[in-house]
């Protein structure tokens, strides 16, 4: 069964905490993503916790393994709930006592990132279901492709950017733009958060005023269990 490698960075905390604050915890895949996000976050209210490798599947792991997993322990401590009980049942916690009113899953926009994010969602469903029920957990989906082009062949013509979040959407946009006769079409595939252009990472993933976060529910977790529960 997969397990985490210990991160070199650990929790990069923020200054605000508590249910009445703007505090949010961004959970990312590893140190490279954490470093990229930490250079752009607002340390007043945005904390970052890197978790490397694919998470343990909380449905299949023993209670002891869940309790002794180092980075799951760091996550529990970051949330303010400590080690919890040595149990496979959801821990009874008060969502209003969580140190961060918002917990954001921010994983790379590839197959491994989607799988890792789903396993993190399953962990919250298995261990801290009350946070899901209260609407404290959301996911940010980074773009997978960037397409930029000009409307005319003039060298000074302004360039337009469109983003694609799946392979299918990318190919569809590419076909549409080619049929529309745009010129100087350039495409870029994102190779993880650490390799994203700074401005794009900030606007699509970090800045609350420009990013899009999707609130997750128990129904989302149950869908993830149907797809990934045995992985």
């Amino acid at each position: 069964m997969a397990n985490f490698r210990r991160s070199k960075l650990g929790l990069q905390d923020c200054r605000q905490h508590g249910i009445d604050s703007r505090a949010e915890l961004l959970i990312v895949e590893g140190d490279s993503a954490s470093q990229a996000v930490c250079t752009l976050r607002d340390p007043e209210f945005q904390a970052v916790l890197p978790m490397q490798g694919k998470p343990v599947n909380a449905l299949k792991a023993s209670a002891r393994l869940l309790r002794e997993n180092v980075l799951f322990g760091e996550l529990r401590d970051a949330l303010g709930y400590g080690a919890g009980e040595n149990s496979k049942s959801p821990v009874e916690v008060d969502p209003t006592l969580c140190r961060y009113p918002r917990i954001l899953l921010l994983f790379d926009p590839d197959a491994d990132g989607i799988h890792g994010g789903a396993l993190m969602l399953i962990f919250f469903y298995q261990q801290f279901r009350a946070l899901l029920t209260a609407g404290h957990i959301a996911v940010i989906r980074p773009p997978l492709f960037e397409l930029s082009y000009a409307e005319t062949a003039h060298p000074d013509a302004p360039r337009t950017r469109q983003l694609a979040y799946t392979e299918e959407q990318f190919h569809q946009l590419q076909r549409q733009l080619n049929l529309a006769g745009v010129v100087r079409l350039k495409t870029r595939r994102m190779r993880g958060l650490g390799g994203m252009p700074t401005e794009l990472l900030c606007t699509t993933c970090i800045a609350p005023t420009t990013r899009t976060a999707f609130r997750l529910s128990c129904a989302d977790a149950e869908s993830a269990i149907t797809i990934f529960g045995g992985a």
Side-chain angles (χ1 to χ4, degrees):
M1 180 175 293
N3 205 337
F4 287 126
R5 300 183 302 276
R6 174 177 276 280
S7 167
K8 297 176 184 177
L9 296 181
L11 175 68
Q12 305 297 300
D13 211 352
C14 55
R15 288 186 282 273
Q16 293 185 17
H17 298 104
I19 192 64
D20 295 323
S21 72
R22 292 192 298 155
E24 56 186 37
L25 177 65
L26 294 144
I27 301 176
V28 300
E29 280 188 74
D31 290 338
S32 176
S34 180
Q35 288 170 343
V37 171
C38 283
T39 62
L40 300 171
R41 64 152 182 166
D42 186 334
E44 181 63 28
F45 69 95
Q46 290 179 311
V48 182
L49 180 64
M51 292 196 153
Q52 303 197 1
K54 285 189 180 177
V56 165
N57 188 326
L59 292 178
K60 297 177 67 177
S62 67
R64 178 180 177 183
L65 180 58
L66 287 174
R67 182 180 177 85
E68 294 179 354
N69 183 279
V70 173
L71 290 184
F72 277 165
E74 290 183 0
L75 174 57
R76 292 187 185 94
D77 287 341
L79 297 178
Y81 295 127
E85 299 175 2
N86 189 9
S87 171
K88 285 279 290 184
S89 301
V91 180
E92 294 297 329
V93 297
D94 182 349
T96 65
L97 299 181
C98 186
R99 296 176 74 241
Y100 309 98
R102 194 162 202 174
I103 301 160
L104 298 161
L105 307 183
L106 178 54
F107 284 67
D108 289 344
D110 55 20
D112 284 341
I114 292 169
H115 189 197
L119 290 173
M120 278 304 310
L121 176 57
I122 291 170
F123 169 78
F124 278 107
Y125 180 80
Q126 179 69 21
Q127 292 290 296
F128 294 111
R129 196 170 303 175
L131 296 179
L132 269 173
T133 303
H136 281 239
I137 301 172
V139 62
I140 298 170
R141 297 190 177 96
L144 184 58
F145 292 94
E146 179 188 49
L147 301 89
S148 64
Y149 57 91
E151 301 288 348
T152 71
H154 192 283
D156 295 328
R159 298 187 67 82
T160 300
R161 178 176 73 187
Q162 293 197 46
L163 302 174
Y165 291 82
T166 65
E167 293 268 2
E168 181 181 2
Q169 186 184 22
F170 166 70
H171 293 303
Q172 182 180 14
L173 279 173
Q174 196 174 40
R175 286 193 298 269
Q176 290 173 350
L177 293 172
N178 285 329
L179 288 172
V182 301
V183 296
R184 292 187 287 140
L185 176 63
K186 295 181 179 179
T187 64
R188 183 208 305 260
R189 183 186 179 102
M190 306 304 161
R191 302 294 180 183
L193 299 183
M196 286 180 66
T198 299
E199 181 270 337
L200 187 62
L201 177 61
C202 184
T203 57
T204 62
C205 299
I206 299 174
T209 55
T210 55
R211 75 188 181 199
T212 301
F214 302 88
R215 183 174 293 178
L216 296 169
S217 66
C218 289
D220 294 310
E222 288 159 3
S223 294
I225 290 169
T226 300
I227 299 171
F228 298 107

